[in-house]
Amino acid sequence: MIFCADTLHHPVEIADPDIRCEFDRYPAQAAQSRKAVLGRCIAENAILIPVHFVAPVACRVGGRAEAPVYRPLVPSEPKGFADV
């Protein structure tokens, strides 16, 4: 699992990590950081936890480093008492 804190603010940054966020004080370094995190997610098939995304927060990043794809992890339905 990778917690990325302020590295990503919106799922669109997964599809295009070069998009500038208004909070990027140093845009080139911010884009480089996003690409590094996304590349690691792809290489390790890691679950990504970006704290600023709306639910579902957890996701995986598919595709290739040159073309990452956002894949949200949707929780399963809660089990009822009879299913326990």
Side-chain angles (χ1 to χ4, degrees), residues 6-76:
D6 287 331
T7 306
L8 294 156
H9 295 90
H10 191 277
V12 74
E13 293 173 317
I14 292 176
D16 187 355
D18 289 316
I19 288 178
R20 182 172 183 206
C21 173
E22 67 178 290
F23 301 109
D24 291 345
R25 177 171 277 178
Y26 304 102
Q29 292 89 342
Q32 185 177 15
S33 294
R34 284 190 284 273
K35 290 174 186 177
V37 167
L38 296 172
R40 184 173 170 199
C41 288
I42 292 168
E44 298 177 13
N45 194 31
I47 293 174
L48 178 65
I49 309 290
V51 298
H52 294 291
F53 287 18
V54 297
V57 173
C59 65
R60 289 198 191 269
V61 180
R64 301 178 320 277
E66 306 81 42
V69 177
Y70 172 62
R71 294 187 177 150
L73 296 180
V74 180
S76 60

Side-chain angles (χ1 to χ4, degrees), residues 79-84:
K79 293 186 176 196
F81 181 76
D83 297 328
V84 177

